[in-house]
Amino acid sequence: MDLDFNRNEDHNKLLASDLRKRLQKVALGGGNTAIEKQHAKGKLTARERIDYLLDKNRETIEIGAFAGDKMYPEHGGCPSGGVVVKMGYIKKRLCIVVANDATVKAGAWFPITAKKNLRAQEIALENKIPIIYLVDSAGVYLPMQDEIFPDKEHFGRVFRNNAKMSSAGITQISAIMGSCVAGGAYLPIMSDEAMIVDKTGSIFLAGSYLVKAAIGETIDNETLGGATTHCAISGVTDYKYDNDQQALDAIRNIIDKIGAPDSAGFNRTTPVLPQIESDQLFGLLPKSRSDQYDMMEIIKALVDDSQFDAYKADYGKTIITGYARINGWAVGIVANQRKVVKTQKGEMQFGGVIYSDSADKATRFISNCNQKKIPLVFLQDVTGFMVGSKSEHGGIIKDGAKMVNAVSNSVVPKFTIIVGNSYGAGNYAMCGKAYDPRLIAAWPSAELAVMSGNSAAKVLLQIETAQNNKKGTQMSPEEEETLYQEIKARYDEQISPYYAAARLWTDAVINPIETRKWISMGIEAANHAPITQPFNLGVIQV
């Protein structure tokens, strides 16, 4: 191995180590003291509940672990958005589990909490997989109610989704394991079945203090909305259990009796490991985001037996397209080639840039995968579309629009892994979050923004300088450099994969060696949802 490989490996393994430490911190939720208080009440934490519920020794993926990261500092923060979401197996059935984290502001809903819950429901809806709610929440976080209550993608959308999933035949089961108040009370009761834990679970539209203030009635919370009340008097809940473990065992028993799911019929054979060890990825990916490298080497470290059948290999070389398998599943891969390539005309093209010919090739390949019912995997390391008079006169906008059209109208499931850069319209064409990938994850090396921090800082500095010139003032070279570094530092923070994950622009930041697991579990989930609509590009410029 050469020195560059070793330097890359050291750098990327440090990024993976940093990721692991961040995840360990996030897993503490509201901290050890809050966890101890949860245990003192005889309750498991959100993560302990999920771990107990899911099959042991089976793979899982966590959605939105970094949701809320460094957000809401004036409110004390909101680790993981105050809710834990995992996809895993219950009695061998793939499910998604949503558990309020009562160690974070008593499980109250921040704006990002609502967004994360909606994302979990979206995954269940798209893939037609069961969704389990483990409810332990104080309801809407009142100091921020204006950012969570009335809009289309706010709190109320959750209950609308409950109704939509029910009508679509998607199993929803709720366990009330703590507080469940006000509007939040509708979530478990709009599920197919609702259970409650005696003495720790309670559900009501208004608690005892509010009842006293509103109508003058004096009553305790247990009598008002405890397990006995709702199982024996109101009939609001279906089952009563003595503790968390009993309720979770009951959920497993219900899931165990669900009928077989439908199948989309995606092709799968016996999985084969890549010929290249997965930890080689750390050395193959350059330390610098501006360095060139061969994306084909990354692909061979991800796909079964390192076998890849290239489509139009000698045309549109800045995008790699072709067929492969990941953990046995047939996939079509669309990846940005990051090394400088030479066209058949002898022209040089920059790696990571989408040219007209590569956009044209990708459009055709995406269409082929839809025709053949093959899921699509996008590997992003893209700086955008080629600019300049030659590209504009050659119709780059037209060809880019065709690719965006194909991505938008694709009916096979799409999965996006952001390996490196994800800049500008390149993010869109390569199936960014706005284009409905079933799952979208970023490696710790990823950067998401309109452009790089260096380029953005130069543009913003030029604007600042022009404004000063209009005012008749000029900055010294030292002042310009100081301002440039301030702008770049601010912008660099915003292009971090953790900044994106905090806002759920991606589902996760993942260790590169977990990429096969994410794609495989994603396709397995998607295989529960047969494709019911035809692929149609609509009107395009030719």
Side-chain angles (χ1 to χ4, degrees):
M1 296 182 185
D2 59 25
L3 287 176
D4 284 340
F5 185 97
N6 291 334
R7 279 192 288 264
N8 294 340
E9 184 177 43
D10 290 344
H11 173 75
N12 288 311
K13 284 189 173 180
L14 283 173
L15 291 181
S17 176
D18 178 56
L19 168 62
R20 185 170 58 253
K21 291 175 183 176
R22 287 172 183 255
L23 287 170
Q24 289 171 346
K25 182 178 179 181
V26 159
L28 292 175
N32 287 318
T33 300
I35 291 171
E36 289 169 7
K37 288 180 179 178
Q38 187 89 337
H39 289 162
K41 296 175 184 177
K43 298 160 67 176
L44 301 175
T45 65
R47 292 182 180 277
E48 288 168 343
R49 288 166 175 165
I50 292 177
D51 288 345
Y52 186 97
L53 180 61
L54 295 177
D55 293 348
K56 305 300 182 286
N57 302 316
R58 294 295 302 271
E59 291 185 326
T60 66
I61 59 176
E62 182 171 352
I63 306 296
F66 293 112
D69 184 45
K70 297 183 180 178
M71 296 172 67
Y72 318 118
E74 68 277 20
H75 298 282
C78 187
S80 270
V83 62
V84 182
V85 176
K86 284 192 177 183
M87 184 189 291
Y89 300 88
I90 301 174
K91 293 288 186 175
K92 300 181 181 179
R93 174 65 69 92
L94 192 60
C95 301
I96 191 157
V97 185
V98 181
N100 300 115
D101 188 349
T103 71
V104 180
K105 292 289 193 298
W109 286 52
F110 282 67
I112 197 65
T113 315
K115 187 173 184 179
K116 186 169 174 179
N117 274 268
L118 290 171
R119 176 59 180 145
Q121 289 185 319
E122 180 181 43
I123 292 171
L125 270 165
E126 286 182 330
N127 299 296
K128 299 190 184 303
I129 59 174
I131 183 167
I132 317 300
Y133 308 101
L134 307 180
V135 184
D136 193 347
S137 171
V140 167
Y141 184 62
L142 291 178
M144 302 188 74
Q145 65 85 27
D146 61 318
E147 297 182 43
I148 186 175
F149 171 64
D151 207 352
K152 180 178 179 180
E153 299 297 331
H154 282 180
F155 194 54
R157 189 76 171 184
V158 172
F159 316 132
R160 175 264 189 192
N161 287 350
N162 285 141
K164 288 289 186 182
M165 280 190 279
S166 183
S167 69
I170 298 168
T171 297
Q172 300 176 87
I173 302 171
S174 289
I176 302 160
M177 314 180 91
S179 297
C180 184
V181 301
Y186 289 105
L187 185 149
I189 309 311
M190 292 188 74
S191 299
D192 303 332
E193 297 183 81
M195 54 192 66
I196 187 168
V197 178
D198 196 20
K199 300 298 186 288
T200 57
S202 59
I203 178 170
F204 32 65
L205 294 180
S208 56
Y209 291 123
L210 185 54
V211 167
K212 177 69 173 177
I215 64 173
E217 180 183 4
T218 300
I219 189 170
D220 64 89
N221 282 338
E222 184 64 24
T223 305
L224 180 66
T228 298
T229 295
H230 285 310
C231 284
I233 300 173
S234 72
V236 166
T237 51
D238 306 311
Y239 311 93
K240 179 175 72 172
Y241 297 102
D242 293 334
N243 53 50
D244 286 4
Q245 290 88 340
Q246 284 186 9
L248 296 168
D249 286 337
I251 293 172
R252 288 178 57 81
N253 289 336
I254 293 171
I255 294 294
D256 192 36
K257 296 173 178 64
I258 296 175
D262 293 333
S263 174
F266 300 128
N267 186 295
R268 192 180 197 187
T269 58
T270 303
V272 180
L273 290 173
Q275 293 181 23
I276 300 171
E277 293 286 340
S278 59
D279 63 0
Q280 295 290 296
L281 289 165
F282 295 115
L284 295 172
L285 187 70
K287 176 179 178 180
S288 171
R289 291 278 38 83
S290 60
D291 284 353
Q292 301 286 302
Y293 66 96
D294 190 352
M295 178 63 85
M296 187 59 70
E297 294 181 345
I298 301 289
I299 292 172
K300 288 182 177 180
L302 294 175
V303 302
D304 289 15
D305 201 31
S306 300
Q307 294 299 306
F308 181 78
D309 300 323
Y311 172 81
K312 288 185 181 291
D314 295 324
Y315 178 73
K317 293 182 179 180
T318 64
I319 287 183
I320 297 170
T321 53
Y323 305 103
R325 291 188 182 274
I326 293 179
N327 204 27
W329 295 104
V331 296
I333 293 176
V334 181
N336 301 112
Q337 176 56 284
R338 276 307 312 267
K339 68 177 183 178
V340 174
V341 298
K342 182 184 289 187
T343 70
Q344 292 299 307
K345 297 178 181 178
E347 298 171 338
M348 304 304 294
Q349 294 183 339
F350 297 107
V353 179
I354 301 176
Y355 290 78
S356 283
D357 55 356
S358 48
D360 179 67
K361 176 174 81 171
T363 302
R364 176 79 176 189
F365 180 72
I366 291 167
S367 300
N368 277 338
C369 287
N370 276 271
Q371 182 83 356
K372 296 177 176 68
K373 204 163 71 172
I374 300 174
L376 284 158
V377 174
F378 292 83
L379 301 177
Q380 284 196 15
D381 194 345
V382 58
T383 53
F385 285 87
M386 190 59 191
V387 297
S389 60
K390 184 176 180 180
S391 290
E392 297 292 359
H393 297 170
I396 185 66
I397 296 175
K398 177 180 65 178
D399 292 318
K402 286 191 290 188
M403 183 176 174
V404 170
N405 195 315
V407 173
S408 302
N409 286 300
S410 180
V411 295
V412 295
K414 298 166 291 191
F415 303 89
T416 301
I417 305 295
I418 305 173
V419 172
N421 302 327
S422 181
Y423 295 157
N427 170 282
Y428 303 158
M430 291 294 294
C431 197
K433 183 64 181 290
Y435 293 82
D436 299 321
R438 295 292 177 95
L439 293 172
I440 177 170
W443 289 3
S445 49
E447 295 184 353
L448 291 82
V450 172
M451 61 184 74
S452 70
N454 184 53
S455 298
K458 288 179 180 178
V459 171
L460 293 171
L461 179 62
Q462 289 174 359
I463 293 171
E464 184 76 19
T465 302
Q467 290 175 341
N468 286 334
N469 289 340
K470 284 183 180 179
K471 296 175 184 177
T473 59
Q474 283 189 330
M475 289 185 289
S476 68
E478 292 78 14
E479 289 173 329
E480 284 192 2
E481 178 61 22
T482 299
L483 180 58
Y484 169 80
Q485 292 299 336
E486 289 176 357
I487 295 171
K488 187 175 184 300
R490 185 169 65 249
Y491 201 88
D492 283 345
E493 180 183 358
Q494 294 178 358
I495 67 177
S496 160
Y498 296 102
Y499 189 92
R503 289 151 184 81
L504 290 174
W505 300 343
T506 64
D507 291 319
V509 181
I510 65 171
N511 188 314
I513 63 176
E514 292 188 308
T515 303
R516 280 170 55 86
K517 177 182 76 172
W518 270 72
I519 294 170
S520 176
M521 287 186 69
I523 298 175
E524 183 180 349
N527 201 40
H528 289 71
I531 297 170
T532 57
Q533 63 186 101
F535 174 65
N536 188 344
L537 278 181
V539 177
I540 59 172
Q541 292 276 6
V542 294

